[in-house]
Amino acid sequence: QVQLVESGGGVVQPGRSLRLSCAASGITFSTFSIHWVRQAPGKGLEWVAVISYDGSNTYYADSVKGRFTISRDNSKNTLYLQMNSLRVEDTAVYYCARHRRYCTGGGSCSPYFDYWGQGTLVTVSS
Amino acid sequence: SSELTQDPAVSVALGQTVRITCQGDSLRGYYASWYQQKPGQAPVLVIYGKTNRPSGIPDRFSASSSGNTASLTITGAQAEDEADYYCYSRDSSDNHYVFGTGTKVTVL
């Protein structure tokens, strides 16, 4: 069955760095775009970043652009999120999720996530 | 970046029908997908596309859309439907994505 397993979370001081991983199994990892989504304690879901199936394209939310880097190693079926210059407001559970598209005959494609990991908690605190 | 706005909370009597709405300019061009999230758990996809349900999602969940508004309807709500629900779609600026603000559904 499909599994996405995040790891690498923990407690880190403001300004420091952390790298998250998301290990995939049960899917042909190299054929799908994958996203990072986060959720601050008691708050809603926030889209963070996406990487294309081959790693050639990456996009980021304004809140993390320039500080976070999404990457992947298709030979290891693993997604990464390098988080630098961490802030208190980056404290959240971080999820990886598989990107899918629903396309109409008119050519419009609407995104959705069909599989999610269980999340890994990042706490930024002094 | 655009926003997707949802009512913060709704309640529904057991067995009755509840509709959750999601409003945003980006919904004029794209269907929203909908996610159910229970405390301490990862989100679960309940609806994608026009009104498609993944395997295992009960048919009491359905969706519709009109203009800049997407709706998720639970017909005959059950106790296990009590959860937070989020819509999701592309941002109006391409290659960015956005979640709705979330709706807490309470089943009375």
Side-chain angles (χ1 to χ4, degrees), chain A residues 50-73:
Chain A
V50 60
I51 187 167
S52 60
Y53 70 99
D54 60 356
S56 61
N57 292 294
T58 58
Y59 302 97
Y60 300 90
D62 291 344
S63 57
V64 306
K65 193 171 185 178
R67 300 187 299 121
F68 289 12
T69 301
I70 188 172
S71 62
R72 65 192 298 162
D73 185 337

Side-chain angles (χ1 to χ4, degrees), chain A residues 30-57:
Chain A
S30 61
T31 62
F32 293 98
S33 295
I34 307 284
H35 296 244
W36 286 102
V37 174
R38 69 183 180 182
Q39 186 170 36
K43 302 297 183 182
L45 300 171
E46 180 187 14
W47 175 76
V48 173
V50 60
I51 187 167
S52 60
Y53 70 99
D54 60 356
S56 61
N57 292 294

Side-chain angles (χ1 to χ4, degrees), chain A residues 35 37 39 43-47 50 59-62 95 99 101-102 104 108-114 116-118, chain B residues 1 29-31 33 35 37 41-45 48-50 52 86 88-90 94-101:
Chain A
H35 296 244
V37 174
Q39 186 170 36
K43 302 297 183 182
L45 300 171
E46 180 187 14
W47 175 76
V50 60
Y59 302 97
Y60 300 90
D62 291 344
Y95 298 99
H99 175 93
R101 299 187 309 167
Y102 173 87
T104 66
S108 171
C109 291
S110 304
Y112 64 98
F113 299 120
D114 59 350
W116 296 69
Q118 85 291 347
Chain B
S1 62
Y30 302 103
Y31 289 111
S33 50
Y35 303 85
Q37 187 181 35
Q41 298 183 18
V44 172
L45 176 68
Y48 66 98
K50 194 170 184 180
N52 300 87
Y86 296 91
Y88 168 76
S89 186
R90 293 185 82 115
D94 210 11
N95 295 312
H96 282 65
Y97 301 84
V98 60
F99 283 95
T101 50

